[in-house]
Amino acid sequence: MTAPDVRRLVTDALDRIARAEGPAAVRSLEAELLGRRSQLATLRSGLGALAPEARKEAGRELNAARARVEEALATRRAEVDEAERRSRLEAERLDLTEVVPTRRRGHLHLVTQARDRLEDVFVGMGYTVAEGPEAESDWYNFEALNFPADHPARAMYDTLYLELGAPESTLLRTHTSPVQVRVMEATQPPIYSVMPGRCYRQDTADASHLPNFHQIEGLVVDRHITLGDLAGTLDAFTEAYFGPGFRSRLRPSYFPFTEPSAEFDITCVFCKGDGCRTCGRTGWLELGGCGMVHPNVFRAVGYDPETWSGFAFGFGIDRMVIMRHGIDDLRELVSNDVRFLRQF
Ligand code: PHE
């Protein structure tokens, strides 16, 4: 064995070490290059056959060769270990930014929020919440509410009829009052209920009308209920929903299903009662209708009007929303413009 042989052996070894990929390859290369059956080991065991001087020389050379191979292996091992660690981290990596939204989250529509709050206010006053269908029969929407066929008050409601059954027998409810009838049919007094929901009228949408809008109906039936109970309830509601300083008042009106009937006004939200253009300088804004339940309505559901008395009210949720938030056009609520919706 000559010195150039050892050098070639080292050069080959270093070359293979440099190309080894992965910790396992480095480990097996280490066994092959430095193990008991390696060329270096074989050369070392041949040293004994040399003359002392030559043995010393060759021994030094073999030691140096072994040291270089060991060093190269150590360096390569560190490199492949680091590469493997990186690829493992890469595989385990969780991109948390993926689930952190960069945009705002959505939320309930303004009208739904208002409906929920209204329900909460009444539930807080001891009321239950009931619902009824949007497609109604003439009986529930009109007849049972003391609007006989051809009653002129039917003209107050621009009814949308459905082509179902006999002509004009099925319609999209024009108010939530038919749910009063359904609640009374299903239960016995005392009743303290609110009934929110969608209503439909043949109206062209403008700043203060929508053909599809929302009402919340209220119905109380018990013994000895008076108009004073109605006025007090509406006043308590007004303050709970709009805040301290807001009052309500009743103005005489007409509905076939209540007697006496009234319009229900609240302190103008824009001028707080001083009088402005929006409230026609009166200081009041109209919120809905109300009154004492008509005896004919009690008769229609089989209640004895001599035993029971009650009041009902119904107001527009959409209108209440725009009043509460100072929005000047009802159509904003259905424009589906996120720049508008996002503000609430
Ligand atoms: N349903 C009536 C309307 O929509 C409002 C109302 C409800 C009036 C209850 C009196 C009692 O016009």
Side-chain angles (χ1 to χ4, degrees):
M1 185 204 63
T2 62
D5 287 340
V6 176
R7 274 203 293 278
R8 195 172 318 115
L9 189 154
V10 170
T11 318
D12 279 357
L14 295 188
D15 185 49
R16 291 183 63 196
I17 292 167
R19 284 186 284 111
E21 292 294 345
V26 175
R27 255 195 319 276
S28 76
L29 205 50
E30 181 171 5
E32 186 185 330
L33 297 174
L34 301 174
R36 272 190 292 125
R37 294 203 200 122
S38 64
Q39 273 181 288
L40 279 175
T42 313
L43 289 174
R44 175 164 295 277
S45 58
L47 286 178
L50 298 178
E53 222 21 62
R55 188 194 311 157
K56 229 174 161 183
E57 177 66 19
R60 219 179 290 121
E61 240 172 83
L62 282 179
N63 283 344
R66 188 179 173 92
R68 288 193 63 190
V69 171
E70 277 174 349
E71 192 194 315
L73 279 166
T75 307
R76 187 64 191 147
R77 196 183 304 114
E79 283 169 6
V80 299
D81 283 353
E82 174 63 10
E84 186 176 75
R85 196 180 68 89
R86 276 177 194 282
S87 75
R88 198 177 56 237
L89 287 180
E90 189 61 33
E92 287 173 357
R93 187 172 144 195
L94 292 176
D95 186 358
L96 298 178
T97 60
E98 250 172 29
V99 293
V100 176
T102 52
R103 286 189 220 142
R104 284 162 189 263
R105 288 177 63 190
H107 59 72
L108 293 178
H109 188 276
L110 189 49
V111 173
T112 311
Q113 293 178 34
R115 180 188 156 147
D116 288 353
R117 280 202 66 221
L118 288 164
E119 287 180 11
D120 287 350
V121 168
F122 282 107
V123 167
M125 290 164 72
Y127 285 57
T128 59
V129 180
E131 281 184 316
E134 293 171 27
E136 266 295 9
S137 65
D138 180 86
W139 163 260
Y140 285 106
N141 199 82
F142 290 127
E143 196 79 35
L145 289 168
N146 199 31
F147 293 81
D150 303 324
H151 191 289
R154 286 187 177 223
M156 290 161 59
Y157 302 90
D158 300 293
T159 310
L160 287 158
Y161 288 96
L162 296 172
E163 286 183 2
L164 209 70
E168 304 200 345
S169 63
T170 315
L171 46 83
L172 291 173
R173 67 180 178 197
T174 59
H175 50 176
T176 42
S177 298
V179 193
Q180 287 184 32
V181 180
R182 290 183 176 275
V183 168
M184 286 190 276
E185 277 181 347
T187 46
Q188 289 300 308
I191 293 171
Y192 291 80
S193 272
V194 285
M195 297 144 256
R198 275 177 188 281
C199 305
Y200 303 80
R201 284 183 204 176
Q202 206 174 338
D203 254 337
T204 303
D206 64 26
S208 53
H209 296 85
L210 290 176
N212 179 204
F213 55 98
H214 302 80
Q215 283 190 340
I216 184 161
E217 190 84 12
L219 175 69
V220 166
V221 181
D222 208 335
R223 292 174 207 273
H224 317 301
I225 297 291
T226 68
L227 191 67
D229 295 317
L230 170 59
T233 302
L234 291 179
D235 224 32
F237 158 75
T238 303
E239 185 154 346
Y241 186 76
F242 288 93
F246 281 86
R247 306 303 310 273
S248 66
R249 72 169 184 184
L250 301 178
R251 269 180 304 115
S253 184
Y254 175 77
F255 298 99
F257 41 99
T258 46
E259 182 58 38
S261 301
E263 301 290 345
F264 159 46
D265 294 344
I266 62 155
T267 309
C268 175
V269 293
F270 298 100
C271 63
K272 303 283 185 292
D274 292 341
C276 66
R277 248 187 40 207
T278 313
C279 61
R281 316 235 166 263
T282 62
W284 297 95
L285 287 173
E286 186 187 318
L287 212 59
C290 60
M292 302 307 291
V293 180
H294 195 289
N296 284 350
V297 177
F298 283 147
R299 286 188 193 103
V301 297
Y303 286 4
D304 179 2
E306 298 301 320
T307 310
W308 303 110
S309 54
F311 63 74
F313 55 83
F315 33 77
I317 298 180
D318 316 79
R319 284 201 181 165
M320 220 150 21
V321 164
I322 66 169
M323 285 181 195
R324 192 154 180 268
H325 295 282
I327 299 161
D328 56 13
D329 193 326
L330 268 181
R331 289 169 295 186
E332 296 279 18
L333 298 178
V334 288
S335 64
N336 235 4
D337 186 336
V338 286
R339 291 168 304 177
F340 169 77
L341 295 171
R342 202 175 260 168
Q343 301 174 70
F344 306 98

